[in-house]
Amino acid sequence: MRCHACRGPANVEIRRSRTAYCARCYPAWFRTQVQERIDHERMFRRDQGILVAVSGGKDSLALWHALTELGYRADGMYIRLGIGDYSQRSQAKSEAFASERGLTLHQVDLKEAQGFAVPDLLDTRSGKPCAACGTVKRYHFNKVAADLGYEVVATGHNLDDEAATLFGNVMHWNVDYLGRQGPVLASTHPKLVRKVKPLYRLSERETAAYAIIERLDYILEECPMAKGAKSLAYKGMLNALEEEQPGAKYGFLVGFLKQGRHAVPGGDFDQATDLRECTRCGQPTTGELCAYCKMADRGRKKSASKAAKYAR
Ligand code: AMP
Ligand code: FES
Ligand code: ZN
């Protein structure tokens, strides 16, 4: 195959659009895709401060890299989740990326600041902390951005992530989540920062190709706690389908966003509107105490009982 831009020998094939690019032309194609989505979805403007949530993985580092190359003012945020060596290695990758480029990286240390870590949040039914971990991440993305005055939080969610989430929400008919799934979540409260996912139409393979060609040093391993998680099974299944039908994942997600979403009751992109402030932490919530504060109480109890066991 030939490169769609320069006609030289191609290195990366984009099967769903039957095109390919050489390693020299590919990064510009990737960044054009990102820019096109930012503009089309009106994610943010050049004069706004953007906070990129970075995990040390390929997607979030590719996003941070692409945004800075495109001339955006983007700082990073890393949350120390306390998942053993995995967290330490991903923190080191995030810090190295920032320091090599003179970028600002804010950090939150869950254990130090909150007295618990993600492994203290195991769900009694699934035995996994992933759902609670999602709540922890969303809470701190929002809080750090709101406290420091950023107008937008950008995450590295890619097409594979979004298609797998959509599949899970359809499988379980989580109508509330279906209505809120999308690349942009508007701010509906002064303390609720706008959330965007600029890579949502680019596949994991495409972001990996960008990270490799741009020589980004990212963490290869996946979170050890996610082993056996349903989302991984959905991803595997969608990839098997993609092999047979190139473009299946893209069609599933983009078709839903264009057509299916409107059919879901309350299906718009806004975050909850009926909000007041959590009586403990002041963050926006629908109830008296926010979901995070309730969960943090459980985490701290668990952490204290583990510490007591070791002290014995
Ligand atoms: P995940 O939930 O692990 O699939 O990650 C989805 C997105 O959340 C990533 O692309 C990052 O933007 C962000 N993210 C994940 N882990 C962290 C972390 N420890 N600190 C900051 N952002 C994170
Ligand atoms: Fe949250 Fe793995 S990153 S459980
Ligand atoms: Zn709270």
Side-chain angles (χ1 to χ4, degrees), residues 127-142:
K128 302 208 168 295
C130 301
C133 177
T135 305
V136 167
K137 287 192 274 201
R138 282 191 297 275
Y139 180 88
H140 288 288
F141 293 165
N142 187 72

Side-chain angles (χ1 to χ4, degrees), residues 46-259:
R46 266 169 216 284
D47 60 336
Q48 291 181 307
I50 303 151
L51 189 64
V52 183
V54 292
S55 65
K58 61 181 178 332
D59 303 307
S60 49
L61 291 184
L63 173 62
W64 200 6
H65 185 270
L67 291 182
T68 54
E69 290 286 311
L70 288 167
Y72 286 99
R73 205 154 43 87
D75 293 340
M77 170 189 26
Y78 176 81
I79 307 173
R80 300 182 188 169
L81 299 167
I83 308 174
D85 292 350
Y86 165 76
S87 282
Q88 267 155 18
R89 283 193 287 271
S90 57
Q91 180 188 333
K93 298 286 186 198
S94 306
E95 286 174 349
F97 182 93
S99 70
E100 281 161 21
R101 291 164 180 83
L103 296 169
T104 302
L105 179 69
H106 303 286
Q107 297 203 39
V108 172
D109 189 314
L110 208 54
K111 189 89 195 179
E112 224 173 79
Q114 305 282 322
F116 69 93
V118 162
D120 298 319
L121 302 172
L122 301 184
D123 179 76
T124 38
R125 262 202 299 171
S126 68
K128 302 208 168 295
C130 301
C133 177
T135 305
V136 167
K137 287 192 274 201
R138 282 191 297 275
Y139 180 88
H140 288 288
F141 293 165
N142 187 72
K143 186 164 176 4
V144 171
D147 289 352
L148 300 178
Y150 289 92
E151 285 160 279
V152 194
V153 171
T155 54
H157 291 96
N158 60 35
L159 174 62
D160 296 52
D161 298 325
E162 293 300 287
T165 302
L166 174 60
F167 190 84
N169 285 337
V170 169
M171 272 301 281
H172 300 101
W173 293 117
N174 287 328
V175 177
D176 283 358
Y177 289 127
L178 273 176
R180 270 180 276 141
Q181 186 171 353
V184 176
L185 279 176
S187 167
T188 51
H189 183 278
K191 286 189 178 175
L192 207 52
V193 179
R194 185 176 177 82
K195 315 283 174 343
V196 299
K197 302 169 183 169
L199 305 184
Y200 82 102
R201 286 193 184 195
L202 289 154
S203 72
E204 199 161 310
R205 222 182 116 255
E206 289 156 10
T207 50
Y210 181 81
I212 292 165
I213 293 170
E214 289 287 13
R215 297 178 197 280
L216 308 185
D217 185 15
Y218 62 87
I219 185 162
L220 275 165
E221 63 196 289
E222 298 282 343
C223 166
M225 303 247 121
K227 281 207 182 83
K230 281 188 198 145
S231 60
L232 293 183
Y234 298 149
K235 278 189 181 179
M237 209 205 60
L238 289 165
N239 279 335
L241 190 65
E242 183 77 21
E243 270 297 305
E244 300 263 327
Q245 300 173 22
K249 262 188 284 202
Y250 184 90
F252 179 51
L253 180 73
V254 174
F256 167 75
L257 294 174
K258 282 192 179 154
Q259 295 164 43

Side-chain angles (χ1 to χ4, degrees), residues 23-41:
R24 258 193 308 160
C25 296
Y26 182 79
W29 172 81
F30 184 91
R31 288 192 288 266
T32 305
Q33 300 298 306
V34 176
Q35 184 72 66
E36 194 269 329
R37 277 300 103 194
I38 294 171
D39 296 340
H40 190 269
E41 303 282 350

